[in-house]
Amino acid sequence: VFENLFSKLSLSLFSSLQIPQISYASTAPELSDNTRYDFFSRVVPPDSYQAQAMLDIVTAMGWNYVTTLASEGNYGESGVEAFVQISREMGGVCIAQSLKIPREPRPGEFDKIIRRLLETPHARAIIMFANEDDIRRVLDAAKRSNQTGHFLWVGSDSWGSKISPVIQQERVAEGAITILPKRATVEAFDRYFRSRSLSNNRRNVWFAEFWEENFGCKLGMHGKRPGSLKKCTGLEKVGRDSSYEQEGKVQFVMDAVYAMAHALHRMHRDYCFGYPGLCPRMSNINGKELLGYVRHVNFNGSAGTPVVFNQNGDAPGRYDIFQYQITNKSTAEYKVIGQWTNKLHLNVDAMRWRTGDPTLPVSVCSVPCQMGERKKIVKGVPCCWHCERCEGYHFQASEFSCELCPYEQRPDRNRTGCIPIPIIKLEWHSAWAAIPVFVAVLGILATSFVVVTFVRYNDTPIVRASGREMSYVLLTGIFLCYAITFLMIAAPSLAICSFRRVFLGLGMCFSYAALLTKTNRIHRIFEQGKKSVAAPRFISPASQLVITFSLISVQLLGVFVWFAVDPPHTVVDYGEQRTSNPEKARGVLKCDISDLSLICSLGYSILLMVTCTVYAIKTRGVPETFNEAKPIGFTMYTTCIIWLAFIPIFFGTAQSAERMYIQTTTLTISLSLSASVSLGMLYMPKVYVIILHPEQNVPKRKRSFKAIVTAATMSGNLVQKGSDRPNGEVKTELCESMETNTSSTKTTYVSYSNHAI
């Protein structure tokens, strides 16, 4: 500190006189300003180098949150200023606090400093530019506050490897990292200094005072030390009768002297070559000429290291790095753990911290965020942050940001990237598929059994009476209603999607086109019978087939138009099961058929079903001995109930995560139930009679069209008298009237058997 102060005072004089100066101890960073101190050079590195070295140490240890502590004055404040400035330029290290130790601290001042250091407990690393007396008192205050092991001291060269700051405070100073300009002991100086005595060193006016101080004695009545000390004999020997350790700056003093000597020698060789002594040319040199020679010296100094100066007159930065360690024998000492020569070389394995604790201590404001978390920086403190997890479908794109994954992807488990969303489809082994398939298989077997039975007994009265041609059309529709289940569950492809469009509504269209044709024929026959005895048109089997297939062709035409407007293809729907939890997100492989298209495809069949139901209601009063009106009516009523239940289930589950499964199962089950109702009510009774009661499978008595007219008329009378007579009486009257009418008829008319009706 005093060397820096003396240098500044002397520089003002030497700069004005343009006299080059070489310092062996001044380390103040501002002395590197070549515009102000242009004639100043030094063989010791400036404090800016040790600030850089200390910053490199802190960075290597992973400490990014530190506090600076400086003694008031040029040395401490300049060192901290250099450290703060370099840390800002390089980034990565934040200053939690910058505290200053007053020149004349009041009582309790150091305890107050410790309390302030504890206000930022995460900033455990303390960067100290302080004189050794302040260092000792700071350590003592930390010891009184029971903070042994909490602070991580990083001391400048004022601490170095000195013993005085840590005496009786070994535990609280344990683990302290200090730096010191690289130096070596000059053995020749030790031999010279140990040989000095009062008799051979009279030219040094301070040597007598040193003698008294070193040996604790008094040199006669004129000695400098007061008190009743023993008298010096003059035979004492340095290093034998007193402790001796070479002053650390001896090397630099010698290098400074040799640097000036080399500069003068080089100048003499250039200006006075071959001339002994000082030549006239050197008598008139100015300071700038000599400064040029000083700045260009290059030789190996007393420690064996090169002595050179940069353009600002600074020596290169070379430091030894120490750590204060307590060994296994409970003895404390400074251990060399690395060096800094424009670059840090640190042996981390040689470092020791609190006794028995091998872990590396930390001094960070915030712990690193985990994978999948982004840093939210605290305003104004880049080393402090909060960790926020990337939520939903976001992934960690960088250290500070989360980004949304592409629509068809989701974050991976660590949320550091995106992976494709798994694609699913309705599997055959799923319960959602197994139940419809089981029902469909039973339905196909039952339908096949009915068809085989009808084919085998094709010419029997019951088969003939049921209208063979229309029955086979209806059974085909029933079979297709069952078969569509397999197309709806099969893995979507271009072929499967095409077949779905064709056959989705075709089965129902076949069934209800046939039933509509039947009910319409019955209705027209009995309506015609009320008006005249002439038979209505288009009631023959061929006419019925033409009408039925005409109705079916409308469905096929709509499908072909659909193919032309929107060709079939498969899509992966990621929105259908895009849950809030990305791990459960799935893409659904499906045919590109919207709910509206699906309803339009089934809409025509539903229209046929409703129309058929209307005709079934109109023909509900027709005597069952003449037709199948009542079984058809019951079939249509039940079918309407099934599809009325289908609509809310299908559309009510549109937002469900299980939408694909529920809607597919609902649709296939509804189709199978519709087919089962038709099969059970219209054909199972006939099969029952054909197989189990063949005695009932006999021809029925033919009735003339006049008989049909009479039946129709009686049906009208039944409606009129229904409100006046009990049901039993009405039925009896109808039967009696029909029997009377048929028994009294003698004339032969064109006859219609039951199968024609």
Side-chain angles (χ1 to χ4, degrees), residues 349-422:
D349 294 335
M351 303 181 75
R352 298 290 182 271
W353 305 99
R354 290 189 62 182
T355 305
D357 186 3
T359 58
L360 182 68
V362 295
S363 180
V364 295
C365 181
S366 302
V367 297
C369 294
Q370 298 180 357
M371 289 186 294
E373 295 180 342
R374 74 176 184 94
K375 290 181 179 179
K376 185 177 182 182
I377 301 298
V378 176
K379 187 176 181 180
V381 189
C383 298
C384 300
W385 58 79
H386 302 296
C387 295
E388 291 185 350
R389 184 164 179 79
C390 299
E391 298 293 344
Y393 289 83
H394 291 78
F395 72 100
Q396 183 185 0
S398 67
E399 188 178 8
F400 302 100
S401 64
C402 296
E403 292 184 5
L404 185 66
C405 286
Y407 190 71
E408 70 280 0
Q409 294 183 352
R410 66 179 183 181
D412 58 21
R413 185 173 296 275
N414 295 325
R415 290 187 176 271
T416 55
C418 296
I419 57 175
I421 294 177

Side-chain angles (χ1 to χ4, degrees), residues 144 174 358 512 749 757:
R144 289 196 304 272
E174 182 181 9
Y512 300 125
Y749 298 93
I757 299 175

Side-chain angles (χ1 to χ4, degrees), residues 526-586:
F526 281 91
E527 286 298 316
Q528 181 70 17
K530 295 177 182 179
K531 301 175 183 178
S532 67
V533 294
R537 303 172 61 188
F538 308 120
I539 61 173
S540 65
S543 301
Q544 300 301 294
L545 289 175
V546 171
I547 295 173
T548 301
F549 284 106
S550 298
L551 295 174
I552 295 173
S553 65
V554 175
Q555 172 76 14
L556 293 174
L557 179 61
V559 171
F560 292 147
V561 172
W562 188 10
F563 269 79
V565 174
D566 183 19
H569 59 278
T570 60
V571 294
V572 179
D573 188 351
Y574 294 98
E576 185 170 312
Q577 293 198 11
R578 195 175 178 86
T579 60
S580 57
N581 183 0
E583 293 185 2
K584 296 182 179 180
R586 298 292 185 269

